[in-house]
Amino acid sequence: MPEIQHLHIMNATVLDIAAGSALPNQSVLVEDGVISWVGPSSEVAAASGTQTIDADGLYVMPGLIDGHVHVTAATADLGAMAEWSPTYVAAHTARNLKAMLHRGFTTVRDVAGADFGVAMAVEEGLFEGPRVIFGGKALSQSGGHGDMRSMGASAIDPHQCCPSIGIVCDGVDAVRKAARDQLRTGAHHIKIMLSGGVASPTDRVDSTQFSESEIRAVVEEAEASNRYVCGHAYTARAVNRGLRLGVTCIEHGNLIDDESVRLFVEKGAYLVPTLITYERLKADGEAAGLPAASREKVDTVLHAGLEALDRANKGGVKIVFGSDLLGAMQVHQSQEFRIRAQVQTSQEVLRSATLTAAELIGMTGRLGVVAPGALADLLIVKENPLDDVTVLADPASSIEAVIKGGQLVGR
Ligand code: ZN
Ligand code: ZN
């Protein structure tokens, strides 16, 4: 019989995302930020000194993990942001993190921008926010997706403290050093730009970026540190090239083909689609000054992205939840649930934002589950998202409480 606990959630229906089941009348006991026991409420004595939450009629599920965010992206104009004061960017970052936590995301994986300072600020409670799994700055070749210079500019300020989200490096030695610098400063993964992107000023979406030897050098450095490489890529050509060279996580992947699916499965690699960002670029792009030609391009990528998710899902690819929103568009983060539900079951979408995301960041059993030994990152929700995951698209009405590390997050 469990004795004194720090937190006791009682009479809850607890979701098992792996099994797709919901067990009623359960208690979740938390001690020192870790789940110590889960079982029938009838078996738990009323313990003194315990904070008790009666979750009768409510559901308890693992805290959500967003596998593709940019918490420092205070604006969609990342080129301009590179010249902002890092202190000012940090102030925006604090606000972005707090909002993500309140939307139910208790862990985020930052794939360009966040560094050890952001993660420390959260760990020490200076910033209220999700756990931050970071990769430092993304590696980009000259003229690549992380190179924010206009055609008229040639200089780059490479100082680590400038709030650019990318670092430009060319040649095996420079690329290797850039990777080592990210690892030296605590990176959980190395992010590289494998293809062009929509927003970068001088590249084409259909380009491949970095030479094979440069990509191999990054993979080698990551493997030496027991870390992994994730790559930004849209086209099958760029995705398949990256996967063959040892990149184990592909970001976006909107234009993958059957060979991509085969390679993902063969390599055990992960795909992190980010569909909401294209929907918002389509909706808000015109107001933000995006030219008509680019808006049409966004349309194609959005539609192809949903097909890619469907193709990967049916092919058994390990899929992780991601949103990739910049600046003011970040408020739409939870809308990714609604989009994915068009081609995935509720259980599949939930798995991508809990179990599979936890596996990608090396936290299996510690995050993404409501089970003894897991960190007490929990959501108390009003409806069962296993029945309809789109309830999570409106977190303000669906989430009753967010708990991170056993601490109730203030609304
Ligand atoms: Zn990207
Ligand atoms: Zn991104």
Side-chain angles (χ1 to χ4, degrees), residues 139 174-184 190 217-218 221:
L139 276 51
V175 162
R176 199 183 285 282
K177 182 174 190 318
R180 287 177 180 173
D181 275 337
Q182 305 319 307
L183 294 164
R184 177 179 67 82
I190 304 291
V218 181
E221 293 303 322

Side-chain angles (χ1 to χ4, degrees), residues 68 70 111 191 252 324:
H68 189 124
H70 302 284
V111 281
K191 167 78 175 293
H252 318 303
D324 196 28

Side-chain angles (χ1 to χ4, degrees), residues 68-70 78 110-112 145 165 191 193 232 234 251-252 274 277-278 323-326:
H68 189 124
V69 298
H70 302 284
L78 298 171
D110 189 287
V111 281
H145 185 50
I165 66 153
K191 167 78 175 293
M193 302 307 191
H232 158 107
Y234 286 113
E251 314 297 321
H252 318 303
T274 59
T277 197
Y278 309 107
S323 58
D324 196 28
L325 292 160
L326 306 175

